[in-house]
Amino acid sequence: MSQILHEFLRPQPTGGTIVTFHKDSDVATQRQALVRSAGEGVRSLSGGPGRSAEMSDDAPAFHLEDVGIGVISEHVDAQRSAGILSGEESVVEARPEFWLFAIQDFQDTADRTWGIAATGAETSQFTGAGIKLAVLDTGLDFEHPDFTGRNLVQQSFVTGQLAQDVQGHGTHCCGTAAGREVSQGVPRYGVAPEVHLHVGKVLNDSGSGRERDIINGMIWAIQQGCAVISMSLGRRVRQGEGPSAAYERVGELALDSGSLIIAAAGNDSARQFGFIAPVGAPANSKSIMAVAALDENLKIADFSCGEINAGGGEVDIAGPGVNVLSSVPRPQLYDVKSGTSMACPHVAGIAALLAQSDANLRGKALWTALTDSAKALSAPASDVGAGLAQAPQGAPDEGYGKTPVA
């Protein structure tokens, strides 16, 4: 049994390498280390509106100057590169790059939304107006009737693919976080229907994505000024495996910039058989909020990962994640899915409502507001963190939300 579980949890490398540099090392030193380990032709990506969307495969390495992270191509000799990097004083961590996947394992055919009521979004007078919320996933069906005519920002970070969603996972997550308040013939399923939605395609049309594209998308969302960044994606980690320095660096940048990254904890447990898997990456980073999934009875979902690993592998909060109705690409339009992927955008939508309720709730302050206002549950904190995310109640101030506040 243990051997089977070991194989089940084995990460899948892309062949590339993620390099994280010390914060006090300068850009030139970092670039020189990448050139020595990967060869000439290292391409730099820096901040600002001209940021390149794609990390194409025509360069030996890319340098994300904003956060001191390098990505070495899978076409470079990894063993030779690792040997050179091991001698570089400027390097904190050099590790294999892994494939991350849309966290989506369970579906049902239930026809009603219960998450809106459980989180209090149904009675909240806040709508997310004026708040920028990013969903980093497989994209969105931009012709879906619940999203046409809305002011959306879109960007694809997947080489050769548009931000249009053909897989379905991203449209479902966008719907939960930001679907219309009223849709013909369908109950309300969107938590924050008036947010300014930013759609970043970081997972390809098959539902998987390279870490380089996901990190690039995270930085883009931060630079766009998104108060909330929702990521229903990840990979399994082994028991005892610590968080990645690269994701921790980007998570810290987000908090310092007034953004909060919220990520799905993972669907790798089988609690009915007594197996609880550790919170996956990147949700296992201390600076990224990890979301567990609950069922309609507010019990921990059988598949939801738990606090097994120390150093960032805690569950921070929980959201509705079983039998969740939301949008999917045409022609079907709506479907019910289960997973921590469905819980994550519930919490992200609640975060947007809180951000609208108080302009001071940004970054770490928004994190604290989410956990302080969560509904206590009977399950241990190792499974559900602070509890079920709750929408702010009360009336918005006069004129609040008329102009963007984030």
Side-chain angles (χ1 to χ4, degrees):
M1 179 67 175
S2 61
Q3 179 61 28
I4 293 174
L5 290 177
H6 177 74
E7 294 298 324
F8 179 70
L9 294 173
R10 187 184 299 276
Q12 299 182 33
T14 68
T17 302
I18 301 290
V19 185
T20 306
F21 294 97
H22 284 289
K23 290 183 178 180
D24 57 359
S25 62
D26 57 56
V27 171
T29 299
Q30 295 173 15
R31 183 177 178 84
Q32 291 167 5
L34 290 173
V35 170
R36 282 192 289 269
S37 58
E40 296 291 340
V42 174
R43 188 172 301 173
S44 296
L45 295 178
S46 57
R51 182 179 191 83
S52 173
E54 299 177 352
M55 291 196 200
S56 57
D57 295 329
D58 60 352
F62 288 87
H63 185 199
L64 295 163
E65 297 179 358
D66 313 88
V67 288
I69 295 174
V71 180
I72 298 177
S73 170
E74 58 270 31
H75 304 300
V76 173
D77 186 327
Q79 186 173 0
R80 174 184 174 277
S81 177
I84 294 173
L85 289 170
S86 65
E88 298 285 348
E89 293 183 358
S90 61
V91 173
V92 174
E93 174 187 74
R95 61 165 179 82
E97 179 190 34
F98 296 102
W99 287 99
L100 272 64
F101 300 90
I103 298 177
Q104 172 189 342
D105 291 340
F106 305 90
Q107 298 188 30
D108 202 344
T109 58
D111 61 0
R112 70 180 184 89
T113 296
W114 61 274
I116 296 296
T119 58
E122 184 179 30
T123 56
S124 177
Q125 296 188 50
F126 296 96
T127 62
I131 303 301
K132 295 180 181 180
L133 183 152
V135 176
L136 305 182
D137 211 286
T138 60
L140 172 68
D141 179 4
F142 295 97
E143 298 303 316
H144 191 288
D146 288 354
F147 290 94
T148 55
R150 294 182 60 173
N151 183 21
L152 306 175
V153 176
Q154 59 173 292
Q155 182 68 67
S156 176
F157 298 88
V158 179
T159 302
Q161 294 184 9
L162 300 176
Q164 177 69 23
D165 182 22
V166 301
Q167 201 273 347
H169 191 268
T171 300
H172 200 276
C173 292
C174 285
T176 298
R180 289 190 192 276
E181 189 167 8
V182 178
S183 300
Q184 186 173 2
V186 179
R188 175 183 171 183
Y189 60 88
V191 176
E194 294 189 357
V195 294
H196 188 191
L197 183 61
H198 287 56
V199 180
K201 186 183 182 82
V202 298
L203 303 179
N204 61 32
D205 291 341
S206 298
S208 61
R210 302 180 301 184
E211 290 188 274
R212 68 192 74 175
D213 301 324
I214 292 162
I215 292 172
N216 202 12
M218 294 166 73
I219 298 171
W220 167 79
I222 295 168
Q223 292 175 343
Q224 289 288 313
C226 294
V228 184
I229 303 169
S230 181
M231 303 204 316
S232 294
L233 51 81
R235 70 167 176 88
R236 302 176 177 108
V237 301
R238 298 179 299 274
Q239 187 167 346
E241 181 179 345
S244 164
Y247 289 117
E248 185 60 22
R249 181 69 54 80
V250 181
E252 290 174 349
L253 173 66
L255 294 175
D256 290 344
S257 303
S259 300
L260 175 61
I261 301 174
I262 301 171
N267 298 344
D268 306 316
S269 296
R271 291 170 179 268
Q272 61 180 317
F273 300 116
F275 174 65
I276 301 176
V279 171
N284 65 341
S285 294
K286 289 183 177 180
S287 57
I288 296 177
M289 179 170 281
V291 182
L294 304 174
D295 65 16
E296 297 96 326
N297 297 312
L298 303 189
K299 303 298 184 184
I300 188 69
D302 180 74
F303 51 79
S304 192
C305 290
E307 180 182 340
I308 301 297
N309 294 337
E314 302 85 2
V315 173
D316 297 301
I317 202 165
V322 177
N323 294 336
V324 175
L325 175 69
S326 187
S327 50
V328 294
R330 296 158 296 151
Q332 184 173 352
L333 296 182
Y334 306 98
D335 196 10
V336 174
K337 299 181 186 291
S338 298
T340 54
S341 275
M342 286 64 252
C344 178
H346 272 103
V347 176
I350 296 299
L353 302 185
L354 282 166
Q356 181 194 4
S357 74
D358 186 342
N360 294 314
L361 297 182
R362 299 293 183 271
K364 188 62 178 177
L366 182 55
W367 180 313
T368 301
L370 273 167
T371 54
D372 283 355
S373 62
K375 179 179 180 178
L377 301 170
S378 59
S382 58
D383 287 340
V384 299
L388 174 61
Q390 294 292 287
Q393 304 300 313
D397 294 336
E398 180 70 24
Y400 202 93
K402 298 297 184 182
T403 57
V405 295

